[in-house]
Amino acid sequence: MSSSYQEFAHIYDELMNDIPYDAYIDLLDLASTGVVGKKVLDIGCGTGLLSAMLSKKGASVTGVDLSADMLEVASNRARSLGLDIEFIQQPMQQLEVEGTYDIAVISIDSLNYVISQTDVRETFRRIYKALGKDGVLLFDVHSIFKMDEIFLEGPFVFDDQRITYMWQTAPGDEEHSIYSQLAFFVRQENGLFKRFDEVHMQRTFSVTEYVGMLNDAGFQIERIFADWEDEPPTDESERVFFQVRK
């Protein structure tokens, strides 16, 4: 990601308005018979929206993210809400936490930012180690269809009068990867727009490959579904969810 991530962190929440975070809570409630009193690892927590929601529900939350700028926003959010959430700056493939957890979640395709298959394997291995017996991991990733076809239908343009962006996409160097260049224009108080740019790389793998990596880490597969529905993935599913247990 580009060095302008500090700017991106402060508009991230507005860009994520259409993400049904409540659905993640419902899915975690279902997978773990409720989150109240549970120790939860929110991996790739970003600005801490999901961390805060889990904490409000009565979970003991630790948020982990690579970006110091994202974590600054997350910490300010927790402080302003009077929530006791621990935040740790770490790449997920180097996850190292004290104690054991009941639940781990990687939401909003954050795992797709881990490009190397070796690093994805290591991420699963470290999460397995961090979970206690019967601990559950829930995560979602972009499908191959979305990565190889939908993302390449760009360029994409977004404009809500305050934030405008132009998103150019191209195939990445790795199989089923995408290279994105985004130019953001954010309206300032004086009515002028400030520009900053972002470069992102994401990669996904087949459902079969994810299953193999999860099994190698020791996980038991409980549920694989797609696009927020209790249905198995199809060739044109866009977001694939995995619920697995230690």
Side-chain angles (χ1 to χ4, degrees):
M1 297 176 195
S2 75
S3 59
S4 65
Y5 216 61
Q6 181 176 5
E7 303 277 1
F8 185 57
H10 291 282
I11 63 168
Y12 180 84
D13 292 351
E14 291 182 58
L15 298 176
M16 295 293 108
N17 274 339
D18 62 339
I19 298 294
Y21 286 99
D22 287 337
Y24 282 106
I25 303 293
D26 292 341
L27 290 169
L28 292 171
D29 273 336
L30 182 64
S32 57
T33 60
V35 300
V36 178
K38 302 289 178 64
K39 289 185 65 180
V40 181
L41 265 177
D42 183 9
I43 301 169
C45 66
T47 60
L49 276 168
L50 184 58
S51 293
M53 292 175 69
L54 288 163
S55 182
K56 286 180 181 178
K57 288 274 289 186
S60 174
V61 183
T62 298
V64 179
D65 202 274
L66 175 63
S67 168
D69 296 312
M70 289 286 198
L71 291 177
E72 181 182 1
V73 175
S75 296
N76 290 338
R77 180 196 308 284
R79 193 178 305 113
S80 69
L81 295 172
L83 299 173
D84 183 16
I85 303 174
E86 179 185 15
F87 291 105
I88 302 171
Q89 184 183 1
Q90 283 180 342
M92 63 181 76
Q93 64 267 33
Q94 295 177 19
L95 179 73
E96 190 168 344
V97 290
E98 296 290 332
T100 55
Y101 288 77
D102 304 300
I103 301 168
V105 58
I106 316 174
S107 63
I108 325 173
D109 51 81
S110 295
L111 184 62
N112 289 133
Y113 284 96
V114 181
I115 304 300
S116 159
Q117 189 167 9
T118 299
D119 285 345
V120 176
R121 289 182 180 276
E122 184 65 10
T123 298
F124 291 151
R125 190 188 73 79
R126 286 177 179 256
I127 294 173
Y128 186 88
K129 181 180 178 182
L131 288 171
K133 187 177 184 299
D134 295 323
V136 66
L137 164 63
L138 176 74
F139 68 93
D140 62 271
V141 290
H142 293 311
S143 68
I144 287 176
F145 172 71
K146 188 170 186 180
M147 199 71 77
D148 290 355
E149 298 193 37
I150 293 179
F151 278 145
L152 295 181
E153 292 174 356
F156 306 99
V157 177
F158 171 87
D159 182 9
D160 70 357
Q161 305 304 310
R162 195 184 94 80
I163 300 170
T164 301
Y165 69 72
M166 292 179 286
W167 175 11
Q168 303 271 0
T169 58
D173 294 333
E174 305 287 349
E175 187 178 26
H176 310 313
S177 69
I178 191 79
Y179 173 80
S180 298
Q181 290 182 298
L182 299 100
F184 289 90
F185 302 86
V186 181
R187 187 186 296 274
Q188 307 299 296
E189 290 184 1
N190 61 8
L192 299 178
F193 282 83
K194 180 179 180 181
R195 174 177 174 164
F196 67 92
D197 296 272
E198 286 283 315
V199 173
H200 290 223
M201 281 288 301
Q202 285 190 294
R203 183 187 184 188
T204 202
F205 299 90
S206 70
V207 170
T208 302
E209 286 174 304
Y210 280 116
V211 167
M213 289 187 280
L214 289 162
N215 284 336
D216 288 346
F219 284 107
Q220 300 297 313
I221 311 297
E222 287 192 336
R223 189 173 169 223
I224 301 173
F225 55 104
D227 296 335
W228 308 101
E229 302 291 338
D230 189 16
E231 299 290 341
T234 69
D235 289 343
E236 294 190 356
S237 297
E238 296 185 26
R239 186 178 297 271
V240 183
F241 290 78
F242 294 79
Q243 176 185 312
V244 300
R245 194 171 301 271
K246 181 170 179 176

